[in-house]
Amino acid sequence: MRSSLHFLAGAEGAPGRAPSEERPSDDEALDAYSRVVIAVARDLAPSVANLRVTRRLRGGRTAMGGGSAVVITPDGFLVTSAHVVEGSRSGSASFVDGREMRFAVVGADPLSDIAVLRADAEDLVPAQLGDASGLRVGQLVVAIGNPHGYAGSVTAGVVSALGRSLPVGRRGGPRRMVENVVQTDAALNPGNSGGALVDGGGRVVGINTAVAGVGLGLAVPINDATRRIISTLMADGRVRRAWLGVAVGPRPLPPRVAGRLGRGNAVEVIEVVDGSPAALAGLHPEDLLVELDGIRLEGADDLQRMMTVERIGAAVRATVVREGELRAITLTPGELPE
């Protein structure tokens, strides 16, 4: 009892510490996590724009849409999600400092869900682009958007998974898988598509692109492939890709062939588009693609990675399993139609 009374007496200021000394300062109360989020939000807010977009619909109608975008150069280039500006050529961008300006769509690539815009400005604050290939599961990330115009939206969380794939593409057009999508539990509010996913160092490591479910967000990664797409859109306004005209999926190899090749999987041709390069080369449904120009194919993404602009019109040698036998076929990829 005496010790308790002594403690209480100290708390009232008799022989103990003064109440003001017991409470931490505001700086001390902020943990490292909070400091990082506050710093990232402060530094990135001027670089994230709110977009207002007018879309053209069938029958001459129009519809309003919106999203966010990230400034990448002082002279007005911004990056957003392709689906945010789908069906539009221009719109308006507003920033947290109250400025509002027109932008034009320089180019959009639905097959990576990346678009580049150009705003009427020469003094924007660019964000620093990072590299998502260095992310680790559990790492702190901050999602920053500008869904309402003059007030940015900030949510924080962790990288919950890496290596996910996201199906993208224009409605009614070709579809493709974006590889190595970043999955995070940082909440993505309405209008945050096209905004920035940022690491603790303030570097943009992804472009927020979709809400896949409660507590689940996805972002297209910023990496070497994405940087090339952004540069190509800035220079040419479009991204060219090679095309064979096949739908494929993974398939185990027949045991005898698997033993001979020393591996178990290949890519099955599920469908061949009439008149496509694959059809002209004699590729058939149920053929198993084993190699293309000596590169092993074990999944659809392996074939997708090879369909770069350099292969358009260039003959490639394919190794195919047909009726249990290995065969060689020469394919000449065309250009993927828009």
Side-chain angles (χ1 to χ4, degrees):
M1 178 66 69
R2 181 180 178 184
S3 60
S4 297
L5 291 173
H6 180 74
F7 172 78
L8 291 172
E12 292 296 324
R17 297 175 60 192
S20 61
E21 294 176 333
E22 292 178 356
R23 291 194 300 268
S25 67
D26 289 343
D27 287 341
E28 291 171 336
L30 284 173
D31 57 25
Y33 180 97
S34 299
R35 290 193 187 100
V36 170
V37 174
I38 290 171
V40 168
R42 178 197 64 216
D43 294 344
L44 269 293
S47 303
V48 180
N50 167 257
L51 302 182
R52 278 175 282 183
V53 180
T54 302
R55 294 187 175 91
R56 299 175 182 174
L57 304 178
R58 292 179 180 177
R61 296 175 299 155
T62 60
M64 293 298 297
S68 301
V70 183
V71 177
I72 57 172
T73 68
D75 59 345
F77 281 104
L78 301 91
V79 172
T80 187
S81 299
H83 72 265
V84 168
V85 294
E86 182 179 353
S88 177
R89 295 182 179 178
S90 62
S92 64
S94 55
F95 293 84
V96 293
D97 62 4
R99 286 190 292 173
E100 184 169 343
M101 59 198 68
R102 298 293 297 173
F103 72 81
V105 178
V106 176
D109 180 39
L111 297 184
S112 64
D113 200 21
I114 291 290
V116 171
L117 318 175
R118 185 72 182 270
D120 298 328
E122 297 292 335
D123 58 349
L124 297 182
V125 180
Q128 180 184 358
L129 297 184
D131 186 358
S133 63
L135 291 176
R136 294 177 292 177
V137 172
Q139 183 173 338
L140 167 66
V141 285
V142 182
I144 301 178
N146 194 338
H148 305 299
Y150 306 127
S153 169
V154 178
T155 57
V158 298
V159 175
S160 50
L162 294 166
R164 296 284 193 257
S165 296
L166 176 70
V168 296
R170 187 180 286 112
R171 297 183 186 96
R175 304 290 289 175
R176 182 176 179 268
M177 302 298 290
V178 175
E179 300 175 56
N180 299 318
V181 169
V182 182
Q183 179 180 318
T184 173
D185 64 354
L188 297 183
N189 300 318
N192 271 8
S193 277
L197 188 70
V198 189
D199 66 13
R203 297 172 290 266
V204 179
V205 292
I207 301 298
N208 299 323
T209 187
V211 178
V214 177
L216 177 63
L218 300 175
V220 171
I222 296 296
N223 52 29
D224 288 342
T226 312
R227 288 172 183 268
R228 285 194 297 270
I229 289 170
I230 293 172
S231 297
T232 301
L233 289 173
M234 291 173 68
D236 304 328
R238 61 188 290 256
V239 176
R240 301 174 65 208
R241 290 186 175 86
W243 177 67
L244 290 178
V246 292
V248 298
R251 173 81 179 272
L253 286 165
R256 184 168 62 85
V257 178
R260 178 178 172 182
L261 297 176
R263 58 189 176 95
N265 295 310
V267 174
E268 180 184 18
V269 176
I270 300 171
E271 182 182 354
V272 179
V273 177
D274 291 340
S276 67
L280 296 175
L283 209 59
H284 300 160
E286 298 186 4
D287 283 346
L288 301 181
L289 284 167
V290 176
E291 290 183 352
L292 200 65
D293 264 2
I295 298 175
R296 290 168 53 159
L297 303 177
E298 298 188 12
D301 54 342
D302 294 328
L303 181 61
Q304 177 179 293
R305 274 193 294 267
M306 295 189 67
M307 294 296 100
T308 57
V309 63
E310 295 81 10
R311 296 191 183 275
I312 298 174
V316 294
R317 181 181 175 88
T319 302
V320 175
V321 177
R322 181 181 296 168
E323 298 175 351
E325 299 296 331
L326 288 170
R327 304 188 183 194
I329 292 179
T330 299
L331 298 161
T332 304
E335 182 172 352
L336 179 67
E338 293 190 39

